[in-house]
Amino acid sequence: MSEAEREETQLDADDRLRPEFVRDVLAALEAGDAEGARDLVEPLHPADLADLFELLPAEERARLASAAKDLLDGDVLAEMNDWVREALIDALDPKEVADIAAELDTDDAVAIIQDLEESEQRAVLRALDPDDRAAIEEALSYPEESAGRLMQRELIAVPEHWTVGDVLDYLRQDDALTTDFWEVYVVDPQHKPIGACHLSWIMRTPRAVSIGDVMQREQTLIPVDMDQEEVALRFQKYALISAAVVDGSGRLVGMITVDDIVHIISQEAGEDILRLSGAGDGDINEPVLDSYRARVRWLLSNLLTALVASSIIALFEGTIAKFVALATLMPIVAGVGGNAGTQTMAVTVRALATNQLTQSNTARSIFRELRVALLNGGTVGVVIGIGVALVFQNPQLGAVIATAMLTNIVVAGLAGVAVPVVLERAGADPAVASSIFVTMTTDSMGFFAFLGLATATGLVG
């Protein structure tokens, strides 16, 4: 069977593993046919093999790992879901983990080792050779989700006085150099980066030309302790392929490449969405108890804020008893206001995450959302007001619900932008807590505005 035919039997049109293929692998494992299972998965790309592990039941992953141990290398583990990878690594002995880590760039090795228990980390590090151990220990000393954890130490750095020919000879003669790079960094005697040169420039420049005359002196340097989200924003803003990482003294200590940033952008965007919903890590491979603990805290918080809204309803219990139609209509005011607040909140959280919303334009952004809210509130208010007046044959009730709707949507717009901004200024993550406060505000204001207006206007006799 040709490679193309094999791929056709394994992957569908969207490059996903075919269910039939997964069932064949599962059947071989359940039948104890380890060799057959290995033959089936052997042609898979590392990323597809990682996907296969994630698709199998948890109890079958260990069997596949045992059957295809020689295929379970660093490239596969680097592509694997964090929860699945952690469970597999727990099943391996420290020497096997060390052998896999030694094959990887430092950033990928750190990603595997950092999730281990401290005792397991020490055992794996002891099994590594001294150079690899020193590099990984240094990376682990940096904060989580920082440039120091993300960067790889394997890079090319040359002095400014070299010629292009010197650089080419160095690249060709030293077999220990990394083979995956896009730029050559130029450093001074203190190993501080003073420029960078694309490989394409080096290949197209005569050998006698000084590398200092070819390099670009202006470059974006990444501090080693910068948060990975800020690193991703710099890559996006300046359209970087790779960037040098420097320590506190300005010395070159590593580089970050765009393939790592693509993963970070996806990860950070997903985290913000899941935090807004209170779903924790939101991973289908996450243990049930971990998911429970992450979500129940959010639901209990929502329960407390819901009590605030219900207490407002209790204040107008007599009003509702006299005019039952109010009980039918008030969830509409609160619900639409909540949706309006969620829209604004989502836009604001994204703007904060991407540095589009800063202190210099906060007031302008609030004013903009206020205008949008007025337009939305006016439109929805007129529609609901006319509808209620016709259905209940009560123009006064229509006017009350229209005014309440306008009021609540305007408040929702203000809360949707103000709450995330205030939380961000206070040093809290706006993606985590904004939803609770915005929902409480829109529910409470919706009930208060509608019932309060009904009482104040004498709608209820």
Side-chain angles (χ1 to χ4, degrees):
M1 183 182 296
S2 69
E3 189 68 24
E5 290 173 330
R6 281 196 171 189
E7 287 189 3
E8 188 175 341
T9 62
Q10 298 156 358
L11 305 177
D12 62 18
D14 296 319
D15 287 332
R16 294 175 300 195
L17 291 171
R18 292 181 180 275
E20 313 89 73
F21 175 76
V22 177
R23 284 196 294 268
D24 289 344
V25 174
L26 189 57
L29 292 172
E30 291 174 344
D33 185 6
E35 185 177 349
R38 188 206 173 281
D39 289 342
L40 284 170
V41 304
E42 193 273 334
L44 291 177
H45 184 277
D48 294 320
L49 182 53
D51 287 344
L52 177 60
F53 273 97
E54 295 169 23
L55 292 171
L56 292 178
E59 61 273 13
E60 299 297 337
R61 293 168 185 162
R63 293 187 189 179
L64 180 59
S66 177
K69 183 174 292 187
D70 60 319
L71 304 176
L72 192 61
D73 58 14
D75 291 334
V76 176
L77 289 175
E79 296 286 346
M80 199 173 288
N81 172 274
D82 290 346
W83 294 103
V84 176
R85 180 176 63 205
E86 186 175 344
L88 278 179
I89 289 176
D90 286 343
L92 301 175
D93 63 54
K95 181 63 170 66
E96 290 174 318
V97 178
D99 290 341
I100 292 172
E103 300 174 7
L104 299 171
D105 290 333
T106 311
D107 56 330
D108 292 327
V110 169
I112 291 175
I113 295 175
Q114 67 183 357
D115 294 328
L116 299 175
E117 297 292 336
E118 188 173 344
S119 59
E120 295 174 332
Q121 280 189 10
R122 289 196 297 268
V124 171
L125 290 171
R126 283 196 298 269
L128 289 167
D129 68 59
D131 289 340
D132 289 336
R133 180 169 63 249
I136 292 174
E137 285 178 338
E138 181 187 2
L140 292 172
S141 69
Y142 297 118
E144 290 189 25
E145 298 191 347
S146 67
R149 291 284 184 100
L150 186 61
M151 71 181 181
Q152 59 190 64
R153 273 88 180 147
E154 299 80 7
L155 52 80
I156 306 296
V158 300
E160 184 179 10
H161 63 80
W162 277 14
T163 65
V164 169
D166 294 331
V167 174
L168 290 173
D169 292 340
Y170 173 62
L171 295 176
R172 292 167 180 167
Q173 294 170 6
D174 194 335
D175 294 335
L177 294 176
T178 180
T179 57
D180 296 322
F181 61 96
W182 290 267
E183 289 182 309
V184 170
Y185 298 105
V186 183
V187 295
D188 66 12
Q190 286 75 45
H191 207 67
K192 296 180 179 180
I194 57 176
C197 189
H198 295 316
L199 281 177
S200 57
W201 301 348
I202 294 174
M203 298 300 294
R204 293 169 61 88
T205 303
R207 291 178 59 88
V209 176
S210 170
I211 196 70
D213 295 332
V214 182
M215 71 179 185
Q216 179 179 348
R217 292 187 179 272
E218 293 183 4
Q219 56 180 325
T220 301
L221 301 178
I222 307 295
V224 73
D225 56 353
M226 176 178 281
D227 184 84
Q228 64 179 21
E229 192 168 0
E230 283 294 317
V231 176
L233 288 173
R234 288 202 180 184
F235 267 73
Q236 183 179 14
K237 182 176 181 179
Y238 299 112
L240 302 176
I241 298 297
S242 64
V245 180
V246 295
D247 61 15
S249 63
R251 297 180 70 253
L252 178 65
V253 293
M255 72 171 180
I256 296 175
T257 53
V258 72
D259 59 318
D260 296 313
I261 296 302
V262 170
H263 171 70
I264 296 302
I265 291 173
S266 174
Q267 174 184 319
E268 293 289 347
E271 283 180 359
D272 285 346
I273 292 172
L274 291 167
R275 285 171 179 170
L276 281 171
S277 66
D281 285 343
D283 195 299
I284 61 173
N285 295 294
E286 184 180 18
V288 171
L289 287 179
D290 288 350
S291 294
Y292 159 73
R293 282 191 288 266
R295 299 184 194 185
V296 75
R297 291 195 298 265
W298 186 269
L299 295 175
L300 290 174
S301 299
N302 280 339
L303 178 62
L304 293 175
T305 57
L307 292 175
V308 176
S310 66
S311 66
I312 293 176
I313 296 175
L315 292 175
F316 297 95
E317 194 171 1
T319 302
I320 297 172
K322 293 178 182 179
F323 196 0
V324 180
L326 296 177
T328 305
L329 296 172
M330 64 184 185
I332 299 176
V333 179
V336 175
N339 287 336
T342 299
Q343 288 177 338
T344 307
M345 178 184 63
V347 171
T348 303
V349 169
R350 179 185 179 278
L352 288 170
T354 57
N355 284 342
Q356 290 180 314
L357 180 57
T358 63
Q359 291 188 9
S360 61
N361 66 347
T362 297
R364 186 170 70 250
S365 297
I366 293 175
F367 181 62
R368 175 190 178 277
E369 291 302 327
L370 177 60
R371 286 183 293 167
V372 173
L374 284 169
L375 291 171
N376 286 336
T379 302
V380 177
V382 168
V383 172
I384 190 66
I386 293 174
V388 167
L390 293 175
V391 171
F392 290 89
Q393 298 296 304
N394 191 331
Q396 187 179 1
L397 178 59
V400 166
I401 194 171
T403 305
M405 185 69 77
L406 170 62
T407 302
N408 199 28
I409 289 179
V410 170
V411 170
L414 291 174
V417 67
V419 169
V421 168
V422 169
L423 289 173
E424 198 265 346
R425 299 287 189 268
D429 188 342
V432 174
S434 294
S435 181
I436 293 176
F437 292 111
V438 171
T439 301
M440 180 186 68
T441 301
T442 56
D443 285 352
S444 301
M445 178 53 66
F447 296 142
F448 183 78
F450 184 48
L451 298 176
L453 285 169
T455 303
T457 58
L459 180 63
V460 180

